[in-house]
Amino acid sequence: MLLRKQIFIFVLLCLVGTSGCSGKDSPSRVPSDFVFVMDVRSPASDLAASVHVNIRIDAKGKGQFEYYDNGGTIRYDLNEIVTYDASQVVKSGKFKITDEKLEQVWDILNENHFFELEEDYQIAIGHSYAFIIVEANNERHIVDNIGLEVPEIRAIVESIGTLLPQDISFEYGEGVTP
């Protein structure tokens, strides 16, 4: 009798432990501390030619964007993070991406080996530009790309662009191939 109770409890625990592993209740592959920040050039439009867009997405898929006029100069703070003043913002908004799209963002970063990329890809010529910060699994990785063509960064920027709302537009630009 004791053996039957033990087997019953074991089977019950197994069922309870696996019941939430399918469908919408399955846990996300995206780390719970995930934060994605990307700063890229906005394509020439009704906004000034020196306008960039800063995009942020958290682990719940909540996002925000700010278009800002950098006046032709990219500024950094003491931690080498791209910065701009509130007075430079010309348009802003919020958005939410689905869990599926959030996982696609995570997959794009991993497929393009973001965490293995060097932190600095810069030269004085070329139009490619992307500044990306990703925080995940208690780590932070920054990639700053100006002027150089980096296929992995292009793939990240262009792929992320397909997952965001249509009113957020940006471009990587042509870069110099070393």
Side-chain angles (χ1 to χ4, degrees), residues 6-7 18 23 45 54 74-75 77 97-98 115 154 162 175:
Q6 288 173 333
I7 292 172
T18 59
S45 65
N54 187 280
I74 298 170
R75 293 186 340 205
D77 67 11
I97 61 173
T98 64
F115 296 98
R154 176 179 290 284
T162 66

Side-chain angles (χ1 to χ4, degrees), residues 7-178:
I7 292 172
F8 176 76
I9 290 171
F10 175 76
V11 171
L12 184 62
L13 288 173
C14 288
L15 290 172
V16 169
T18 59
S19 66
C21 292
S22 64
K24 290 184 175 183
D25 294 332
S26 64
S28 174
R29 291 178 286 114
V30 178
S32 62
D33 63 342
F34 178 77
V35 176
F36 174 83
V37 178
M38 184 168 70
D39 198 271
V40 287
R41 291 175 358 138
S42 175
S45 65
D46 57 334
L47 302 172
S50 58
V51 170
H52 286 202
V53 61
N54 187 280
I55 300 157
R56 298 170 184 269
I57 304 171
D58 70 13
K60 296 182 183 199
K62 293 180 183 177
Q64 64 184 38
F65 65 92
E66 292 183 323
Y67 286 90
Y68 67 96
D69 188 342
N70 71 5
T73 303
I74 298 170
R75 293 186 340 205
Y76 298 87
D77 67 11
L78 296 175
N79 296 314
E80 299 297 319
I81 307 296
V82 169
T83 140
Y84 54 92
D85 297 326
S87 63
Q88 293 174 277
V89 175
V90 295
K91 179 180 174 185
S92 64
K94 294 183 179 192
F95 61 93
K96 171 89 167 92
I97 61 173
T98 64
D99 291 345
E100 179 183 341
K101 286 185 177 184
L102 184 63
E103 288 187 1
Q104 288 176 6
V105 169
W106 181 245
D107 290 343
I108 290 163
L109 293 167
N110 287 301
E111 289 165 6
N112 288 285
H113 309 285
F114 177 79
F115 296 98
E116 287 88 45
L117 292 174
E118 293 179 29
E119 290 187 9
D120 188 18
Y121 296 95
Q122 294 186 25
I123 60 174
I125 57 177
H127 296 288
S128 61
Y129 170 72
F131 179 85
I132 303 171
I133 301 172
V134 177
E135 294 181 14
N137 298 318
N138 296 315
E139 294 185 30
R140 173 190 249 188
H141 189 66
I142 298 173
V143 173
D144 193 1
N145 175 222
I146 300 174
L148 285 173
E149 176 73 28
V150 181
E152 294 87 353
I153 297 173
R154 176 179 290 284
I156 290 168
V157 170
E158 291 177 351
S159 297
I160 298 294
T162 66
L163 301 174
L164 299 178
Q166 290 183 349
D167 60 338
I168 303 173
S169 63
F170 49 84
E171 64 185 5
Y172 178 69
E174 294 301 318
V176 174
T177 305

